[in-house]
Amino acid sequence: MSTRDLVLTALFAAIIVALGLLPPIYLGFLPVPITAQSLGVMMAGVVLGARRGAIAVMIVLLLVAIGLPVLSGGRGGLAIFTAPTAGFLIGWIFAAFVTGYLSERLVNDQQSGLVQTVSFFLTAMVGGIVVLYAFGITYLATVAGLGFTKAFVGSMAFVPGDVIKAVVAALLGRAVMVGYPLLPLRA
């Protein structure tokens, strides 16, 4: 990994942490809060690609594991990984990887701006919602004992917000593609 890659992964880890400064919103019927940090996960995948995006997320999770309060609401520590929401945290790694993998395959600088933006949106939807929810709902259903149906139905309340996050990530990906093209340089 080059120095440039280290800087970019650290930058996106810092962005994910900074998005945690926004307070979480609890809905009451699920122990999973609405946070802006999943937007950072989508952005890391879209802008950095699979490998660097997943590494940026792993840096954040390492900071959480050593006890730094970098998650939304000032949460941190190993106990977070035993909570019912741990599946979503672990899913961040795979969400960033899949988002990055798909955007590396679907987006290139020869496409029109509209095609790039739509492709980034679709990759953020698949990685940041489908993959993330697969990990989070499965863990929530088994560890919290909610059952798969209740965990799935309850998690659907988060989809509209995550779709908006995917739009923001797609627009950011397109802006970076135009202003500072990282896509051809993805590792």
Side-chain angles (χ1 to χ4, degrees):
M1 182 175 265
S2 69
T3 302
R4 181 176 180 273
D5 290 342
L6 288 173
V7 170
L8 289 171
T9 54
L11 173 66
F12 272 82
I15 289 171
I16 294 170
V17 170
L19 288 170
L21 294 175
L22 298 172
I25 300 169
Y26 288 93
L27 299 178
F29 57 90
L30 273 180
V32 181
I34 296 173
T35 73
Q37 289 184 298
S38 56
L39 170 62
V41 172
M42 290 180 194
M43 291 187 324
V46 164
V47 174
L48 297 180
R51 190 171 136 245
R52 293 183 298 190
I55 290 172
V57 171
M58 286 190 279
I59 291 170
V60 173
L61 296 181
L62 178 64
L63 296 175
V64 170
I66 63 174
L68 296 177
V70 296
L71 292 178
S72 182
R75 297 173 297 135
L78 285 175
I80 294 293
F81 295 101
T82 62
T85 59
F88 287 97
L89 290 178
I90 300 302
W92 280 3
I93 299 169
F94 299 96
F97 184 86
V98 170
T99 300
Y101 179 83
L102 291 176
S103 60
E104 287 171 354
R105 301 301 181 274
L106 296 177
V107 181
N108 64 61
D109 56 358
Q110 305 302 315
Q111 297 168 326
S112 71
L114 179 63
V115 171
Q116 289 175 346
T117 304
V118 170
S119 298
F120 279 136
F121 173 72
L122 293 175
T123 61
M125 290 281 292
V126 171
I129 297 177
V130 175
V131 172
L132 181 62
Y133 280 45
F135 279 88
I137 290 172
T138 302
Y139 193 86
L140 188 63
T142 55
V143 172
L146 291 178
F148 187 79
T149 302
K150 188 174 180 182
F152 179 82
V153 171
S155 295
M156 292 302 105
F158 301 101
V159 171
D162 285 338
V163 170
I164 293 170
K165 293 174 190 173
V167 169
V168 173
L171 293 173
L172 175 77
R174 169 69 181 135
V176 171
M177 186 89 171
V178 171
Y180 188 68
L182 293 171
L183 289 175
L185 304 174
R186 285 184 175 160

